[in-house]
Amino acid sequence: MKCFNWYTSVSYVLISVCLSSTSVHESYCPSQVSGLYGEEGMISCYFRPNFQTIIWFDETSTRDPLIRLEHSTKSGRGYDSGKYDVLQNGSLVIKTIDFINEQQYITVAVIFGSTNITEFSIVFFVIEHCPTQQSGFFGEKGNIICHFKPNFNKVSWYLEQDKPLLQMEGSHISGSGYESEKYSVTQNGSLVIHRVTEENKAIYTVILIDAYNISTVHRVEFKLENYCPSQVSGLYGEEGMISCYFRPNFHTIIWFDETSTRDPLIVLENNTKSGRSYDSGKYDVLQNGSLVIKTIDFINEQQYNTVAVKVESTNIIEFSILFSVIEHCPTQQSGFFGEKGNIICHFKPNFNKVSWYLEQDKPLIQLEGSHISGPGYENEKYSVKQNGSLVIRRVTEENKAIYTVILIDANNISTVHRVEFKLESYCPSQVSGLYGEEGMISCYFRPNFQTIIWFDETSTRDPLIRLEHSTKSGRGYDSGKYDVLQNGSLVIKTIDFINEQQYITVAVIFGSTNITEFSIVFFVIEHCPTQQSGFFGEKGNIICHFKPNFNKVSWYLEQDKPLLQMEGSHISGLGYESEKYSIKQNGSLVIRRVTEENEAIYTVILIDAYNISTVHRVEFKLETGCCGSQYGYCGKKGIINCNFEPGYEDVYWYDDTIEHTSIIRLENGIKSGKGYHSNEYDVSQNGSLVIKNVQLKHEQEYKVIRYGGENQIMEYRITFSVIGAGVPSCWSNGTASTNPVFAENHCVSPQHGYLGKEGIISCNIQQGIDVYWLNETDEYHHPFIKRESGHISGSGYKSNEYDILQNGSLVIRNVQYKHQQSYQVTFPFDIGSQVDLRVDFLVIVPTTSNSGSTLPSEVTSIVQSTKVEMEHSSNDKLDGSRGRKGLWFAVVGFLLTILCSICFTALCCWMDKNNKAP
């Protein structure tokens, strides 16, 4: 609270200082202001709102106000004349600047109920200028208007020449433009064009030397109205226009072509259109008199004449325009796969020669006169029309290219055109896609294909997917693994290595026997996502998608020697020997426990089945926040690992006993809370929760709230599991439960087995309860083997790969490298809850020293007796005589179990008495 009050006080002082500093800039007018002649001008002032009266004076009178603002009411001779205005902040507005406004203005401001008067004196300057864009009507008098102060010394006008077109010095006018009587100049320096013609459409330069012998330069672009250009061109096949400009007072505009000078091509009279070509729909005329050619043809290359007549006048304006047609080839053209194609060009029919090239030095085909030659013509793949267009007799994939055509016209002038030809109804011969991503074989089929069928290598009779009349079907579509678009493209929902094969598509046209067929090879690209992450303290994976038949994969961590490598089934390297890393059969890297040192860039080199090497780099980052499921060992220190981004401010931890009261908190680096003071909990500087001595009561859901900068709040929930809950030290009364779910010999991690031999993941779970085993490769989290009500089932049991013992231990019949992974065992604990334990299983290559049995003798005997017991107990239901024998084995097994339990309990008591950890 003290911090808040201090912050508020400082903020108040800063705001006060800012306000006081801005007040210095109020009640202010500049000493000098300028504005453009003929534009609106303003003398911008700033007066505080407590001024009741603001008065402006000009040089005309210091007694009679120019304008007055009093209690928001305006008055004064300048206001009444409409030439001036005043804004509520006291600024003076000049409606239209004239040279008379170049004078000194005075403003006086009076504060409410005070004799305090504020006065400013401002000099206003008028800037001379010429508007840069001006125009005139063809055949009439024109003016290029400039606004110069009348007391200038000299003005000179130039029209792209070294010598002045016209100049005026004092009252004397001279220059070639004045002598030819085409130009004159007004007393304010503006240029007068006596009769506007096409030559006046230009850029003029004017140099002014003012009364102080200071020169300024202005440039003006003069455009024409009532004008038609002398030459116009347009592209063959496109719409064309002869753009003209006529004033609205022309009541009749008539166009003629070379066909007739008496019968008009088109007439516009009093907004009504008529004429032989208007009726044919080939021409039109706009209201400004412009002629529109609807579709340009070579016949339009001629001279057009237009006549414009003024209303109630004999004044006639006439223009003659030459229209040229431009030969061209559209740069983007296409054709349908398997059909005849054309690359159309529009050349004048009297050309001398046309040559077509397809990225080669020699012509593909050429036409000279009526003679056609070239390899493309000889192999009957190409031809050429009399207008020079290229004919492709049957479009194939090789026609998808850029063509070059060289035309030599009747005047022996050559022009070059390039055309990109694309395919329709087309599928590429090869396509690739990234493993794990969505893939597509993009094809192009015409809309008149009624049926499109896709096959894979599995069957050429049973379609993978079928599109018929917009309806989809087929085994690939029903499985949800494939889809087909309306244009016939095949979609692979999630690319797998099994998709690396040849696909065939067949398309059938409506009401036709014409069939189009494509064969496409699809390649799957191996890759490693370049950005991957894992949670601090948890197992991590850098996942790569490599084809399973690779020769060798090597992982590097910014070192010359490999961190880890796998060649065949053999794994080696420093990372493997230190048991910090492992590697999966698909080449992915396993980090057994993620720490800060794992946040780095990893390099993996893959040598595939063809001894081709590829390099991938992956940046591995630590996930910010907390993993949602963590565990600790009973009777030992436990940590709920979190990894918060640097710069966080406060962390609050809660358990599920009291929702609104934190058990421990870290505020500005200071620890507090009931859990901290009782020495039950601690919190590290990175926000992780430390449980000093893990007990069964700590198996619950924890919540942590992190407060970051700019009021960022993040909340995480973590389920904490306790491993070894059967030991006495794990219970609040110091003794184990009378009916523990699993006893001292719990599922420790890691455990191991020997390659090619029988292995066991040893647990000691109470007999008779349900047990479920899962592995990390199952994305759907389904148990591969389970025991429910004493009955064992599941895919792993049916395949004879796995088995479950009476104490819940998992038996692996024949240990292989694929079994090197994390297993999870789940079983009920108390009412409405369950225990989830994870065991990392390692596969070791047997040597001469370890080539014997993978299990201790006592465990082996238990396994064998348990197997016999289970076999006889299952057969008991079929044969009563076998039941007595099964009962005998059950009694023996039960006695052995009690004997082992007594021995282990005695051992624990002795260790406890001697203060040794259980």
Side-chain angles (χ1 to χ4, degrees):
M1 195 66 186
K2 291 180 180 179
C3 180
F4 175 78
N5 292 335
W6 176 83
Y7 175 80
T8 306
S9 302
V10 171
S11 300
Y12 177 77
V13 171
L14 290 173
I15 292 170
S16 301
V17 170
C18 291
L19 290 174
S20 62
S21 64
T22 56
S23 64
V24 174
H25 299 290
E26 295 187 5
S27 302
Y28 163 75
C29 288
S31 58
Q32 291 183 349
V33 178
S34 61
L36 281 177
Y37 181 96
E39 304 291 329
E40 184 178 81
M42 182 183 292
I43 301 176
S44 297
C45 295
Y46 307 94
F47 292 105
R48 295 175 62 181
N50 58 347
F51 282 93
Q52 68 176 356
T53 305
I54 298 171
I55 307 172
W56 284 90
F57 298 92
D58 59 1
E59 293 179 351
T60 307
S61 172
T62 57
R63 295 187 175 227
D64 182 17
L66 178 69
I67 197 165
R68 181 187 187 103
L69 176 65
E70 187 169 13
H71 298 293
S72 300
T73 302
K74 303 173 185 179
S75 61
R77 54 186 170 83
Y79 180 73
D80 297 336
S81 68
K83 294 181 178 179
Y84 293 87
D85 196 3
V86 62
L87 304 183
Q88 292 300 317
N89 66 355
S91 298
L92 180 67
V93 178
I94 304 171
K95 293 295 187 67
T96 305
I97 298 173
D98 201 348
F99 290 118
I100 195 173
N101 298 121
E102 188 163 281
Q103 56 175 300
Q104 187 178 41
Y105 293 86
I106 296 172
T107 180
V108 177
V110 183
I111 296 179
F112 283 98
S114 171
T115 58
N116 184 15
I117 295 176
T118 301
E119 181 177 334
F120 294 96
S121 179
I122 305 101
V123 177
F124 190 86
F125 295 96
V126 179
I127 300 174
E128 303 166 307
H129 77 110
C130 299
T132 57
Q133 296 279 346
Q134 300 190 46
S135 62
F137 291 102
F138 191 93
E140 300 188 11
K141 185 177 180 179
N143 292 282
I144 301 180
I145 299 170
C146 291
H147 308 292
F148 299 139
K149 296 174 185 176
N151 58 344
F152 60 78
N153 286 340
K154 185 178 178 182
V155 64
S156 304
W157 284 91
Y158 295 81
L159 181 59
E160 300 170 355
Q161 298 167 349
D162 294 335
K163 293 182 179 180
L165 177 70
L166 196 73
Q167 61 183 11
M168 180 171 69
E169 191 169 6
S171 59
H172 179 66
I173 303 173
S174 61
S176 57
Y178 183 70
E179 294 166 3
S180 65
E181 297 184 351
K182 291 183 177 181
Y183 297 91
S184 184
V185 65
T186 62
Q187 287 301 311
N188 68 352
S190 298
L191 182 67
V192 178
I193 305 171
H194 288 295
R195 187 178 184 276
V196 175
T197 63
E198 190 171 351
E199 70 178 9
N200 298 123
K201 184 184 177 184
I203 296 175
Y204 292 82
T205 301
V206 56
I207 300 175
L208 175 75
I209 301 176
D210 65 10
Y212 304 100
N213 283 324
I214 298 172
S215 62
T216 55
V217 179
H218 306 268
R219 287 181 176 82
V220 181
E221 181 181 6
F222 189 79
K223 296 182 178 181
L224 302 187
E225 299 190 31
N226 292 344
Y227 162 74
C228 289
S230 58
Q231 290 185 346
V232 178
S233 62
L235 283 176
Y236 180 97
E238 304 290 328
E239 185 179 81
M241 182 183 293
I242 301 176
S243 298
C244 296
Y245 310 94
F246 293 107
R247 291 180 67 176
N249 58 347
F250 284 91
H251 69 79
T252 304
I253 297 170
I254 308 170
W255 283 91
F256 298 92
D257 62 1
E258 292 179 350
T259 307
S260 172
T261 56
R262 295 185 175 232
D263 182 16
L265 183 71
I266 197 166
V267 177
L268 176 65
E269 187 171 12
N270 295 327
N271 297 326
T272 302
K273 303 173 185 179
S274 61
R276 54 184 167 87
S277 291
Y278 178 73
D279 298 335
S280 69
K282 294 182 179 180
Y283 291 86
D284 197 4
V285 61
L286 304 184
Q287 292 299 317
N288 65 356
S290 298
L291 180 68
V292 177
I293 304 170
K294 293 296 186 67
T295 304
I296 297 173
D297 199 346
F298 290 119
I299 197 173
N300 298 121
E301 189 163 276
Q302 57 173 301
Q303 189 173 20
Y304 292 88
N305 293 306
T306 181
V307 176
V309 183
K310 280 188 179 181
V311 179
E312 298 178 355
S313 172
T314 57
N315 186 12
I316 294 175
I317 296 178
E318 183 176 342
F319 293 96
S320 180
I321 305 102
L322 179 62
F323 190 85
S324 302
V325 178
I326 300 174
E327 302 166 309
H328 78 110
C329 298
T331 56
Q332 297 280 344
Q333 300 191 45
S334 63
F336 292 105
F337 191 95
E339 300 188 11
K340 184 177 179 180
N342 293 283
I343 300 181
I344 299 170
C345 290
H346 308 291
F347 299 139
K348 296 174 184 176
N350 59 344
F351 60 80
N352 286 339
K353 185 178 179 181
V354 64
S355 303
W356 285 90
Y357 296 80
L358 181 59
E359 301 168 355
Q360 298 166 349
D361 294 334
K362 294 182 179 180
L364 178 70
I365 193 169
Q366 59 186 12
L367 172 69
E368 189 169 9
S370 59
H371 180 65
I372 303 175
S373 62
Y377 182 71
E378 293 165 5
N379 62 22
E380 296 185 351
K381 290 184 177 181
Y382 296 89
S383 185
V384 65
K385 295 183 179 181
Q386 288 301 310
N387 66 354
S389 298
L390 181 68
V391 178
I392 304 171
R393 296 192 186 276
R394 187 179 184 274
V395 175
T396 64
E397 191 171 350
E398 69 178 11
N399 299 123
K400 185 182 177 184
I402 295 175
Y403 291 81
T404 300
V405 56
I406 300 176
L407 174 76
I408 301 176
D409 67 10
N411 303 312
N412 283 325
I413 298 173
S414 63
T415 56
V416 180
H417 306 268
R418 287 182 176 82
V419 181
E420 182 181 5
F421 189 78
K422 296 182 178 180
L423 302 187
E424 299 190 30
S425 297
Y426 162 74
C427 288
S429 59
Q430 292 183 348
V431 178
S432 61
L434 282 176
Y435 179 97
E437 304 290 329
E438 184 178 83
M440 183 182 292
I441 301 177
S442 296
C443 296
Y444 309 95
F445 293 106
R446 293 177 66 177
N448 59 346
F449 282 92
Q450 65 176 358
T451 305
I452 297 170
I453 307 170
W454 284 90
F455 298 91
D456 61 1
E457 293 179 350
T458 307
S459 173
T460 56
R461 295 184 175 233
D462 182 18
L464 179 70
I465 198 165
R466 182 186 187 102
L467 176 67
E468 188 168 13
H469 300 291
S470 300
T471 302
K472 303 173 185 179
S473 61
R475 53 186 168 84
Y477 180 74
D478 297 335
S479 69
K481 295 181 178 179
Y482 293 87
D483 196 5
V484 61
L485 304 184
Q486 292 300 316
N487 66 355
S489 298
L490 179 68
V491 178
I492 304 170
K493 293 296 186 67
T494 305
I495 297 173
D496 199 347
F497 291 119
I498 197 173
N499 299 121
E500 189 162 280
Q501 55 174 301
Q502 188 178 40
Y503 293 88
I504 295 173
T505 180
V506 176
V508 184
I509 295 178
F510 282 98
S512 170
T513 57
N514 186 13
I515 295 176
T516 301
E517 181 177 332
F518 295 96
S519 179
I520 306 102
V521 176
F522 190 86
F523 295 96
V524 179
I525 301 174
E526 302 165 309
H527 77 111
C528 299
T530 56
Q531 296 279 343
Q532 300 192 44
S533 61
F535 282 102
F536 188 93
E538 298 290 317
K539 182 178 179 181
N541 293 285
I542 300 181
I543 299 170
C544 290
H545 308 291
F546 299 139
K547 296 174 185 176
N549 59 343
F550 60 81
N551 286 338
K552 184 179 179 182
V553 64
S554 303
W555 284 90
Y556 296 81
L557 181 59
E558 301 170 354
Q559 299 167 347
D560 294 334
K561 294 183 179 180
L563 177 71
L564 197 72
Q565 61 184 12
M566 181 169 70
E567 190 167 5
S569 59
H570 179 64
I571 303 175
S572 61
L574 299 174
Y576 184 70
E577 294 165 4
S578 65
E579 296 187 351
K580 291 184 177 180
Y581 296 89
S582 185
I583 194 167
K584 296 183 179 180
Q585 289 300 310
N586 67 354
S588 298
L589 183 68
V590 178
I591 304 170
R592 297 195 184 277
R593 187 177 182 275
V594 175
T595 64
E596 193 170 332
E597 70 179 9
N598 298 121
E599 190 167 60
I601 295 176
Y602 291 80
T603 301
V604 56
I605 299 177
L606 174 78
I607 301 176
D608 66 10
Y610 305 99
N611 284 323
I612 299 172
S613 62
T614 55
V615 180
H616 306 267
R617 287 182 176 82
V618 181
E619 182 180 7
F620 188 81
K621 294 185 177 180
L622 295 184
E623 285 276 6
T624 58
C626 313
C627 180
S629 178
Q630 300 188 42
Y631 64 92
Y633 290 95
C634 188
K636 297 185 179 181
K637 185 171 78 171
I639 298 177
I640 300 180
N641 288 297
C642 293
N643 181 34
F644 295 133
E645 295 177 353
Y648 72 88
E649 295 178 354
D650 303 319
V651 172
Y652 298 84
W653 280 93
Y654 301 83
D655 61 10
D656 60 5
T657 58
I658 304 176
E659 184 177 356
H660 301 295
T661 303
S662 58
I663 56 173
I664 192 167
R665 52 187 175 270
L666 179 65
E667 297 174 307
N668 296 321
I670 300 174
K671 304 173 185 178
S672 61
K674 64 174 184 176
Y676 177 71
H677 296 307
S678 67
N679 203 32
E680 182 180 356
Y681 295 98
D682 195 3
V683 60
S684 63
Q685 290 301 315
N686 71 350
S688 298
L689 179 67
V690 179
I691 306 172
K692 296 292 188 69
N693 185 12
V694 175
Q695 299 294 308
L696 184 62
K697 67 178 182 178
H698 297 122
E699 189 165 77
Q700 57 177 300
E701 184 179 71
Y702 289 86
K703 179 176 73 174
V704 58
I705 298 178
R706 186 214 71 182
Y707 292 86
E710 299 180 356
N711 296 322
Q712 290 183 349
I713 300 175
M714 296 297 292
E715 179 179 316
Y716 303 92
R717 293 183 180 271
I718 306 99
T719 300
F720 187 75
S721 301
V722 177
I723 296 178
V727 300
S729 61
C730 200
W731 298 81
S732 58
N733 59 5
T735 61
S737 169
T738 58
N739 186 24
V741 174
F742 57 104
E744 296 89 335
N745 187 21
H746 54 271
C747 301
V748 296
S749 179
Q751 299 188 41
H752 68 270
Y754 292 100
L755 182 67
K757 299 187 177 294
E758 187 176 72
I760 187 170
I761 299 179
S762 179
C763 293
N764 196 11
I765 302 169
Q766 177 184 336
Q767 298 185 20
I769 67 172
D770 297 340
V771 178
Y772 304 86
W773 282 92
L774 306 91
N775 60 37
E776 64 175 7
T777 60
D778 185 7
E779 60 180 323
Y780 299 105
H781 212 61
H782 292 157
F784 60 89
I785 189 169
K786 59 186 176 180
R787 183 181 69 198
E788 291 179 314
S789 302
H791 177 68
I792 302 175
S793 61
S795 60
Y797 182 69
K798 290 180 180 178
S799 65
N800 202 34
E801 184 178 355
Y802 298 95
D803 199 358
I804 297 179
L805 303 183
Q806 287 295 325
N807 65 354
S809 299
L810 179 69
V811 178
I812 305 172
R813 303 278 192 193
N814 184 12
V815 174
Q816 300 296 317
Y817 278 114
K818 68 177 181 178
H819 297 120
Q820 182 165 289
Q821 54 179 295
S822 286
Y823 291 87
Q824 178 182 314
V825 58
T826 299
F827 48 88
F829 171 69
D830 221 345
I831 299 175
S833 63
Q834 68 179 33
V835 173
D836 296 317
L837 298 179
R838 191 178 66 185
V839 182
D840 290 334
F841 187 75
L842 307 179
V843 177
I844 298 176
V845 179
T847 62
T848 55
S849 60
N850 62 24
S851 60
S853 174
T854 63
L855 304 175
S857 59
E858 64 271 22
V859 176
T860 304
S861 64
I862 293 174
V863 171
Q864 296 300 328
S865 63
T866 304
K867 290 179 184 177
V868 173
E869 177 190 349
M870 291 176 64
E871 290 173 0
H872 284 280
S873 62
S874 61
N875 293 331
D876 182 53
K877 297 177 181 180
L878 301 176
D879 192 342
S881 62
R882 296 179 183 178
R884 290 189 298 272
K885 192 175 181 180
L887 178 63
W888 164 251
F889 279 102
V891 170
V892 172
F894 181 70
L895 292 175
L896 285 173
T897 303
I898 292 175
L899 180 61
C900 291
S901 299
I902 291 171
C903 293
F904 197 86
T905 303
L907 177 63
C908 288
C909 291
W910 178 83
M911 295 174 69
D912 185 55
K913 184 177 180 180
N914 290 274
N915 295 322
K916 293 187 177 182

